[in-house]
Amino acid sequence: MCSSYTLLSFLVLISAFFASKFLLPAKELPIRILNPSDPCTVTQKTWTLTSRPSGPFKSTDATLETSSLDVCSPSPNSLIIKTSTLGLDAFLRTMLDAEAFHGAVNLTGDLPAFGVGTVVSSGVNSTYSPGDTVMGMLGASNYVEMIPSEMGPFPVLPFLPTELSLGLLSLTTGITAHVGIYGVLKPPRKGDTVVVSAAAGAVGSVAVQLAKRTGAKVIGVAGGEIKNYYLKEELGVLAVDYKAGDLGGQLDELAPEGIDFFFDGAGGEVLDEVLRRINYNARVVICGAASQYSGNLNVGVVKGPSEYLKLAEKDSTMKGFVVLNYMWRVPGAMLDLIYLWATDKIELKESWVEGIEEFPNAMVKMFSGGMVGKILVKV
């Protein structure tokens, strides 16, 4: 068990670490290189957007570009980072459309992805040093040169496995789930019936576990036998397989008493079926709509909640959120997740794919099914 003293010590160490990176005055030093004896020229492999997907993303929508990169000559303010791991998030698909809330990728632009890597070299004005491990929007590339900004890259949390920075402790994964369950509307409580859609994915599987900890009855909605087995046998919750048909009938069987709280990452038909079954004073939290991410957004063909009047009939609330608007909750969420992880009370299953060459195939698998938890690419 983590004592309060242990958590306090951890906070002090983290504070000192970040202060050393950002609060102390930077010294102007020569270009710094991790291994001066290594060759200066490396082969950079980067996936770029060849064509905008007209539906589900296909591997042929991207091209692997190769070029030479001089890692010994970063610009004065930049870093050159060797990527070790990339993480996949469902919202990345939306950035491949011509219009995107998170920012559209231009044709021939790099495919977006959060990643973890090691600083190979840094310019004279950089606060980072060669050998530092950082994370941020590195893109689907094995090497990247970037200028640090308020958007990153950031140091990974010390003393913890680096993969946690892309999964359980990532703003787009574990933190999003924590905020969505506890911080957007009145949280679930003992006696409630909670439904989580996209429940075997990275965000959904964390949301399932957090909801279960409140003492509520939890039902996860996912597609296929592999994902439903994971929900029932590994996470210990009830499960609905939307690919098996009769989604409403399955919900009626598992939740005859109705639904009090819904964490939605799927949208579409699942949202409508849940709205038909909400109780009085139910809470519906809209985190995402993965079922609509394959070209439906911003073109007028999103399948929205046709049963929205149930909210009025049942005096209930539906609210969407973007985690960036809840940054004040991040420190508390992160500490809670670290504690739960350290005491083996929560996990985020990882599905690994080997090689930067497989990045587009991993994107395809994220939506086609068969992989659970956080999809990570070992570059």
Side-chain angles (χ1 to χ4, degrees), residues 14 27 32 59 111 124 136 148 171 213 249 263 267 327:
I14 288 178
K27 297 179 180 179
R32 294 157 291 175
S59 58
L111 293 188
V124 294
L171 193 66
R213 288 187 55 78
F263 181 94
M327 294 301 290

Side-chain angles (χ1 to χ4, degrees), residues 27 41 84 205 257 378:
K27 297 179 180 179
T41 302
S84 59
S205 62
E257 70 283 358
K378 185 176 182 180

